[in-house]
Every structure is written in C-alpha cells, then in structure tokens.
Amino acid sequence: MSESELAQAPLPWAYGVPPLQARLRSTPEDFQVEEILGYDADGAGEHALLWVEKRGANTDWVARELAKFAGVPQVAVGYAGMKDRHALTRQTFSVQLAGKPDPDWSAFPHAEAKVLAVTRHSRKLKRGALRGNRFVLVLREVQGDRAMAEQVLAQIAARGVPNYYGEQRFGREGGNVAQARAMFGGRRVDRDKRSFLLSAARSQIFNSVLAVRVERGAWDSPLEGEIWSLAGSRSWFGPEPFTELLAERLARADIHPSGPLWGQGEPPSQGEAGALEREIGAANDDLAAGLAAARMDQERRPLRLLPKDLRWHWLGDDALELSFELPAGAYATVVVREVASIA
C-alpha cells in the first residue's frame, strides 16, 4: 500500500461503522464556524480588532487584502487561527494602524469577506490566542439508520470522540507526510512549509497511537503508565497510580488520557502506554528521528475530545443539522465521522 493510501485508510471508529452516509459542504453555509477568542478587546490601542465574516475565502488571503486596504504591511495584520476556506466563517483579525485613522471598513471591496464589527485593542492577535470554535454543520442527502445515528450522537454527547487530527492536517491525498519524510531525507523546503510538514509528521505518529488505543477501547480510559492532559491547557502530569481521585477527575473531564506529540528524547509515558508509544515511534523511525533532529520538544495532546453543547435536529427527511463547540486545535470532522461517512 502506498504512502497516500496509508494516509487515507480509515482510522478506527469509537462507536463502530457510522450509521449514516451523507454530503457535507454542499454550500459554504452548510459548514459554519465562529471563532471564540481567549480574551475580550481592551477597547483602546493602536490595533483595530475586526470581526470578519468570510465565505469561500482563505484566511491568509483575507489578511493580505486587509493589509492592502488599510495601507499597512502584511506583518501588521494578525489572526488567532486558520479557518476553513470551503465554509462560512467568522473570526477576528487585528490591524496595527500606528496613529493612522481607521479606514471605512464597510467599504472593504471584496464580496468574499465583510467586516461586521470593529473595536480597538492594545496588542496584535497572536496565533493560538484562541479558546475554541463554534460549529453549525448541515449534512445533506442523508441515508442510513436515523435511530442508530441518534444513539451514536447521544453517546458522543456523553462520552466524546477520539481526538484525531483531521485530514486537513495531512494535505491533499495525505501528501504532507510523504513530503515530511523527503524533507527529513534532505530535500530543502521553505520555512513556512517546513512548519506544516513538521506538524504533519507529529500528527501521523499521534493518530497512529490513538488508532491502536481506539481498537483496544482505551482512548477515554487509562493504560498503565498513563500521562494525563489537563483540560483547557497544554499542561500534563504523570505517570502515577490510577486512584479514585484520578477516576473522578476523568469522569468530570478535568483530565484526559494523552498521546505523544513527538520530539527530542523519550516520551514520558511508562508501562503499557509507554510501550505502545515507543512501538509506534519505532515503526515511524524516520519521522521520529526527523522531529528530534528539528529539536521539537516532547509534548502531549488529549486522546479524548468532548464536544460542548452538542445538539442535533433533522431538517426534513434527508438533512441533519449538528451544532457544537470545540476547543482550539480540535477538528469538527472527527465528530462528524463517528456518525456519518461523508461522500
């Protein structure tokens, strides 16, 4: 099997083969994303904070066009996260005006994006300064077992889903992992692309570990030697004995089992969890060695993803609307994939 075929092979599901088949993104309005920043605007400062709605547009493109419109260099524009192109999204951009008056943002000359609101802030928006995203998705041309789908959705609401990296991380036909291997083998790439390829390599190892744990039924429960991710942060701790206190914290989603974001040295996990992670690392030794050589640190990512306020309702016989909130770094498509195979 080729690298591309391996990258596209279905990852195991938590609740069995999805009961529905459907289409997603029939129109951009069927995939709506609203960004949730981690803080409120100051109300004063040299940065204009723009609440922007874009349709079928790339985040980088919008940033470049905002810079041109304001007459500032592109480096003066910031945003917290990339948003899907094939979607209707609302997100915040910052534009450093440094004593310049605000342009007439309502005259921004692109149909693909419009400025909905403006306020002021003292600092540039930094990548990652994001609490999460709200999603409203519509599945169309739905076929399959509706009653079973509602059972799966109820399980997802109660238990969550495996926190896989979505296919967007791996590029067209999963090609980013093959490109990462080529880069580690000596092929030169530009700096921006290098960052994407390092992320793809890490994501491949993480997804491989999580896939085995899903097959073992241990993606939302601990293995011996577990490292715990603290919900809502990048902090982690362990390993330590699984006590009643840890079980209670796991049940209320204060902590989650975690998997490796590979880097220098050995992962901190031990016992059964550590043995699995080292086995997967050895099976991807070129990726692991490349990440170590790039001086990436060993970090952790939760194995469990709990959608907040998951709701669903049917829009007639063949359309299903889903709405939920996810933390930053999580993928809406890994929620959808548990209930529907997308054509």
Side-chain angles (χ1 to χ4, degrees):
M1 185 179 290
S2 70
E3 182 88 53
S4 175
E5 290 170 328
L6 282 169
Q8 296 181 80
L11 294 163
W13 296 278
Y15 305 107
V17 176
L20 301 178
Q21 301 84 44
R23 294 184 63 84
L24 181 60
R25 303 179 197 259
S26 296
T27 69
E29 286 75 14
D30 285 350
F31 199 104
Q32 297 190 35
V33 189
E34 185 170 297
E35 185 177 78
I36 308 167
L37 281 183
Y39 54 85
D40 295 325
D42 296 340
E46 66 179 20
H47 296 266
L49 279 192
L50 312 179
W51 185 234
V52 175
E53 179 179 275
K54 65 181 185 64
R55 182 185 189 276
N58 178 279
T59 298
D60 276 337
W61 176 84
V62 174
R64 289 195 299 272
E65 294 304 310
L66 288 171
K68 291 178 187 176
F69 183 72
V72 299
Q74 188 175 342
V75 70
V77 178
Y79 52 86
M82 300 288 286
K83 293 291 176 287
D84 295 81
R85 178 178 180 179
H86 302 292
L88 179 68
T89 70
R90 300 174 191 90
Q91 71 179 115
T92 303
F93 292 81
S94 69
V95 181
Q96 186 175 18
L97 295 173
K100 294 167 63 88
D102 274 270
D104 179 5
W105 295 110
S106 67
F108 186 63
H110 296 289
E112 300 94 332
K114 57 184 176 181
V115 178
L116 302 179
V118 185
T119 187
R120 282 282 181 155
H121 195 57
S122 60
R123 299 183 306 279
K124 180 181 180 178
L125 268 181
K126 297 292 182 65
R127 297 291 292 271
L130 188 63
R131 196 181 83 216
N133 296 284
R134 296 186 186 93
F135 296 87
V136 179
L137 312 180
V138 178
L139 307 182
R140 299 196 184 275
E141 300 178 30
V142 177
Q143 300 179 5
D145 189 332
R146 287 176 50 155
M148 181 60 71
E150 298 212 16
Q151 290 181 32
V152 170
L153 287 165
Q155 288 181 287
I156 292 172
R159 188 178 167 190
V161 298
N163 191 25
Y164 291 120
Y165 282 100
E167 60 186 15
Q168 305 95 307
R169 178 58 66 99
F170 301 101
R172 186 184 298 274
E173 297 184 348
N176 285 356
V177 175
Q179 291 184 55
R181 289 194 154 105
M183 178 180 70
F184 295 149
R187 180 184 296 172
R188 296 178 64 87
V189 300
D190 62 46
R191 184 175 179 179
D192 289 342
K193 188 170 186 179
R194 179 176 183 274
S195 177
F196 280 110
L197 298 184
L198 290 172
S199 294
R202 273 184 146 187
S203 303
Q204 175 73 10
I205 295 174
F206 176 88
N207 273 10
S208 297
V209 170
L210 179 51
V212 174
R213 292 194 58 159
V214 171
E215 290 175 338
R216 295 183 184 180
W219 58 275
D220 62 346
S221 58
L223 296 178
E224 179 196 1
E226 190 69 63
I227 299 296
W228 297 99
S229 284
L230 188 62
S233 80
R234 295 183 179 180
S235 300
W236 50 268
F237 65 93
E240 58 186 67
F242 188 56
T243 62
E244 289 186 8
L245 175 60
L246 287 180
E248 189 273 329
R249 294 181 69 185
L250 176 65
R252 60 183 167 89
D254 179 48
I255 58 175
H256 307 286
S258 74
L261 298 179
W262 209 272
Q264 302 176 87
E266 293 292 318
S269 51
Q270 297 177 6
E272 186 179 4
L276 169 61
E277 293 176 12
R278 287 161 177 80
E279 179 183 344
I280 297 295
N284 294 274
D285 58 342
D286 54 345
L287 299 182
L291 290 165
R295 298 188 177 181
M296 305 292 286
D297 292 328
Q298 286 282 350
E299 298 179 301
R300 307 296 293 184
R301 174 179 169 91
L303 298 179
R304 175 175 66 169
L305 173 62
L306 287 165
K308 183 178 178 182
D309 297 327
L310 174 61
R311 300 179 184 180
W312 61 90
H313 69 274
W314 294 92
L315 307 175
D317 292 333
D318 66 347
L320 174 64
E321 181 181 276
L322 307 174
S323 62
F324 48 86
E325 179 182 319
L326 296 180
Y331 291 79
T333 50
V334 306
V335 178
V336 175
R337 75 182 296 275
E338 293 289 339
V339 71
S341 297
I342 302 301

